[in-house]
PDB file of all heavy atoms in Angstrom:
ATOM      1  N   SER V 376     -20.788  -3.312 -23.320  1.00  0.00           N
ATOM      2  CA  SER V 376     -21.772  -4.301 -22.751  1.00  0.00           C
ATOM      3  C   SER V 376     -21.137  -5.095 -21.569  1.00  0.00           C
ATOM      4  O   SER V 376     -21.808  -5.416 -20.643  1.00  0.00           O
ATOM      5  CB  SER V 376     -22.184  -5.268 -23.864  1.00  0.00           C
ATOM      6  OG  SER V 376     -21.081  -5.962 -24.303  1.00  0.00           O
ATOM      7  N   TYR V 377     -19.791  -5.223 -21.680  1.00  0.00           N
ATOM      8  CA  TYR V 377     -19.145  -5.866 -20.591  1.00  0.00           C
ATOM      9  C   TYR V 377     -19.413  -5.101 -19.268  1.00  0.00           C
ATOM     10  O   TYR V 377     -19.699  -5.598 -18.218  1.00  0.00           O
ATOM     11  CB  TYR V 377     -17.651  -5.952 -20.854  1.00  0.00           C
ATOM     12  CG  TYR V 377     -16.742  -6.074 -19.684  1.00  0.00           C
ATOM     13  CD1 TYR V 377     -16.639  -7.266 -19.081  1.00  0.00           C
ATOM     14  CD2 TYR V 377     -15.971  -5.014 -19.234  1.00  0.00           C
ATOM     15  CE1 TYR V 377     -15.814  -7.423 -17.918  1.00  0.00           C
ATOM     16  CE2 TYR V 377     -15.136  -5.159 -18.165  1.00  0.00           C
ATOM     17  CZ  TYR V 377     -14.994  -6.391 -17.493  1.00  0.00           C
ATOM     18  OH  TYR V 377     -14.187  -6.513 -16.458  1.00  0.00           O
ATOM     19  N   HIS V 378     -19.324  -3.768 -19.468  1.00  0.00           N
ATOM     20  CA  HIS V 378     -19.571  -2.896 -18.259  1.00  0.00           C
ATOM     21  C   HIS V 378     -20.942  -3.055 -17.776  1.00  0.00           C
ATOM     22  O   HIS V 378     -21.179  -3.054 -16.498  1.00  0.00           O
ATOM     23  CB  HIS V 378     -19.348  -1.411 -18.647  1.00  0.00           C
ATOM     24  CG  HIS V 378     -17.911  -0.950 -18.499  1.00  0.00           C
ATOM     25  ND1 HIS V 378     -17.425   0.111 -19.117  1.00  0.00           N
ATOM     26  CD2 HIS V 378     -17.030  -1.502 -17.683  1.00  0.00           C
ATOM     27  CE1 HIS V 378     -16.208   0.267 -18.760  1.00  0.00           C
ATOM     28  NE2 HIS V 378     -15.887  -0.722 -17.932  1.00  0.00           N
ATOM     29  N   ARG V 379     -21.925  -3.022 -18.706  1.00  0.00           N
ATOM     30  CA  ARG V 379     -23.251  -3.102 -18.263  1.00  0.00           C
ATOM     31  C   ARG V 379     -23.542  -4.407 -17.485  1.00  0.00           C
ATOM     32  O   ARG V 379     -24.418  -4.449 -16.668  1.00  0.00           O
ATOM     33  CB  ARG V 379     -24.150  -2.938 -19.458  1.00  0.00           C
ATOM     34  CG  ARG V 379     -24.653  -1.452 -19.549  1.00  0.00           C
ATOM     35  CD  ARG V 379     -25.558  -1.320 -20.807  1.00  0.00           C
ATOM     36  NE  ARG V 379     -24.954  -0.490 -21.793  1.00  0.00           N
ATOM     37  CZ  ARG V 379     -24.862  -0.726 -23.083  1.00  0.00           C
ATOM     38  NH1 ARG V 379     -25.457  -1.839 -23.449  1.00  0.00           N
ATOM     39  NH2 ARG V 379     -24.349   0.036 -23.847  1.00  0.00           N
ATOM     40  N   ASN V 380     -22.841  -5.419 -17.930  1.00  0.00           N
ATOM     41  CA  ASN V 380     -23.059  -6.716 -17.167  1.00  0.00           C
ATOM     42  C   ASN V 380     -22.288  -6.762 -15.809  1.00  0.00           C
ATOM     43  O   ASN V 380     -22.704  -7.378 -14.900  1.00  0.00           O
ATOM     44  CB  ASN V 380     -22.701  -7.832 -18.042  1.00  0.00           C
ATOM     45  CG  ASN V 380     -23.598  -7.919 -19.235  1.00  0.00           C
ATOM     46  OD1 ASN V 380     -24.730  -7.558 -19.200  1.00  0.00           O
ATOM     47  ND2 ASN V 380     -23.050  -8.474 -20.370  1.00  0.00           N
ATOM     48  N   PHE V 381     -21.147  -6.158 -15.943  1.00  0.00           N
ATOM     49  CA  PHE V 381     -20.141  -6.313 -14.831  1.00  0.00           C
ATOM     50  C   PHE V 381     -20.796  -5.837 -13.447  1.00  0.00           C
ATOM     51  O   PHE V 381     -20.775  -6.515 -12.472  1.00  0.00           O
ATOM     52  CB  PHE V 381     -18.936  -5.593 -15.204  1.00  0.00           C
ATOM     53  CG  PHE V 381     -17.799  -5.681 -14.186  1.00  0.00           C
ATOM     54  CD1 PHE V 381     -16.875  -6.738 -14.180  1.00  0.00           C
ATOM     55  CD2 PHE V 381     -17.667  -4.738 -13.150  1.00  0.00           C
ATOM     56  CE1 PHE V 381     -15.880  -6.810 -13.261  1.00  0.00           C
ATOM     57  CE2 PHE V 381     -16.607  -4.846 -12.207  1.00  0.00           C
ATOM     58  CZ  PHE V 381     -15.707  -5.891 -12.273  1.00  0.00           C
ATOM     59  N   TYR V 382     -21.245  -4.571 -13.512  1.00  0.00           N
ATOM     60  CA  TYR V 382     -21.661  -4.071 -12.236  1.00  0.00           C
ATOM     61  C   TYR V 382     -22.896  -4.696 -11.603  1.00  0.00           C
ATOM     62  O   TYR V 382     -22.827  -4.960 -10.358  1.00  0.00           O
ATOM     63  CB  TYR V 382     -21.820  -2.541 -12.391  1.00  0.00           C
ATOM     64  CG  TYR V 382     -20.420  -1.893 -12.460  1.00  0.00           C
ATOM     65  CD1 TYR V 382     -19.992  -1.494 -13.746  1.00  0.00           C
ATOM     66  CD2 TYR V 382     -19.658  -1.677 -11.405  1.00  0.00           C
ATOM     67  CE1 TYR V 382     -18.609  -1.009 -13.834  1.00  0.00           C
ATOM     68  CE2 TYR V 382     -18.392  -1.228 -11.508  1.00  0.00           C
ATOM     69  CZ  TYR V 382     -17.844  -0.873 -12.644  1.00  0.00           C
ATOM     70  OH  TYR V 382     -16.608  -0.437 -12.808  1.00  0.00           O
ATOM     71  N   PRO V 383     -23.915  -4.918 -12.370  1.00  0.00           N
ATOM     72  CA  PRO V 383     -25.009  -5.706 -11.695  1.00  0.00           C
ATOM     73  C   PRO V 383     -24.611  -7.003 -11.110  1.00  0.00           C
ATOM     74  O   PRO V 383     -24.963  -7.391  -9.976  1.00  0.00           O
ATOM     75  CB  PRO V 383     -26.075  -5.948 -12.815  1.00  0.00           C
ATOM     76  CG  PRO V 383     -25.747  -4.856 -13.816  1.00  0.00           C
ATOM     77  CD  PRO V 383     -24.265  -4.601 -13.726  1.00  0.00           C
ATOM     78  N   ILE V 384     -23.800  -7.750 -11.887  1.00  0.00           N
ATOM     79  CA  ILE V 384     -23.401  -9.065 -11.361  1.00  0.00           C
ATOM     80  C   ILE V 384     -22.565  -8.883 -10.072  1.00  0.00           C
ATOM     81  O   ILE V 384     -22.669  -9.661  -9.090  1.00  0.00           O
ATOM     82  CB  ILE V 384     -22.634  -9.827 -12.341  1.00  0.00           C
ATOM     83  CG1 ILE V 384     -23.416 -10.042 -13.694  1.00  0.00           C
ATOM     84  CG2 ILE V 384     -22.095 -11.186 -11.886  1.00  0.00           C
ATOM     85  CD1 ILE V 384     -24.572 -11.083 -13.439  1.00  0.00           C
ATOM     86  N   LEU V 385     -21.753  -7.807 -10.142  1.00  0.00           N
ATOM     87  CA  LEU V 385     -20.882  -7.535  -8.973  1.00  0.00           C
ATOM     88  C   LEU V 385     -21.738  -7.326  -7.777  1.00  0.00           C
ATOM     89  O   LEU V 385     -21.505  -7.816  -6.693  1.00  0.00           O
ATOM     90  CB  LEU V 385     -20.025  -6.311  -9.281  1.00  0.00           C
ATOM     91  CG  LEU V 385     -19.063  -5.863  -8.120  1.00  0.00           C
ATOM     92  CD1 LEU V 385     -17.950  -6.806  -8.068  1.00  0.00           C
ATOM     93  CD2 LEU V 385     -18.563  -4.468  -8.335  1.00  0.00           C
ATOM     94  N   ARG V 386     -22.775  -6.547  -7.967  1.00  0.00           N
ATOM     95  CA  ARG V 386     -23.653  -6.278  -6.900  1.00  0.00           C
ATOM     96  C   ARG V 386     -24.374  -7.478  -6.320  1.00  0.00           C
ATOM     97  O   ARG V 386     -24.552  -7.707  -5.149  1.00  0.00           O
ATOM     98  CB  ARG V 386     -24.796  -5.266  -7.263  1.00  0.00           C
ATOM     99  CG  ARG V 386     -24.275  -3.869  -6.976  1.00  0.00           C
ATOM    100  CD  ARG V 386     -25.358  -2.828  -6.942  1.00  0.00           C
ATOM    101  NE  ARG V 386     -24.623  -1.652  -7.225  1.00  0.00           N
ATOM    102  CZ  ARG V 386     -24.788  -0.956  -8.326  1.00  0.00           C
ATOM    103  NH1 ARG V 386     -25.734  -1.266  -9.150  1.00  0.00           N
ATOM    104  NH2 ARG V 386     -24.019   0.058  -8.609  1.00  0.00           N
ATOM    105  N   CYS V 387     -24.790  -8.362  -7.314  1.00  0.00           N
ATOM    106  CA  CYS V 387     -25.444  -9.592  -6.919  1.00  0.00           C
ATOM    107  C   CYS V 387     -24.437 -10.378  -5.983  1.00  0.00           C
ATOM    108  O   CYS V 387     -24.858 -10.913  -4.989  1.00  0.00           O
ATOM    109  CB  CYS V 387     -25.701 -10.463  -8.148  1.00  0.00           C
ATOM    110  SG  CYS V 387     -27.182  -9.934  -8.934  1.00  0.00           S
ATOM    111  N   LEU V 388     -23.262 -10.566  -6.459  1.00  0.00           N
ATOM    112  CA  LEU V 388     -22.269 -11.357  -5.747  1.00  0.00           C
ATOM    113  C   LEU V 388     -22.086 -10.716  -4.343  1.00  0.00           C
ATOM    114  O   LEU V 388     -22.020 -11.502  -3.384  1.00  0.00           O
ATOM    115  CB  LEU V 388     -20.904 -11.395  -6.520  1.00  0.00           C
ATOM    116  CG  LEU V 388     -19.874 -12.332  -5.933  1.00  0.00           C
ATOM    117  CD1 LEU V 388     -20.336 -13.733  -5.909  1.00  0.00           C
ATOM    118  CD2 LEU V 388     -18.574 -12.229  -6.737  1.00  0.00           C
TER     119      LEU V 388
END
Side-chain angles (χ1 to χ4, degrees):
Chain V
S376 65
Y377 159 75
H378 271 160
R379 260 179 249 138
N380 296 331
F381 184 85
Y382 288 99
I384 299 287
L385 181 73
R386 267 199 208 113
C387 281
L388 186 61

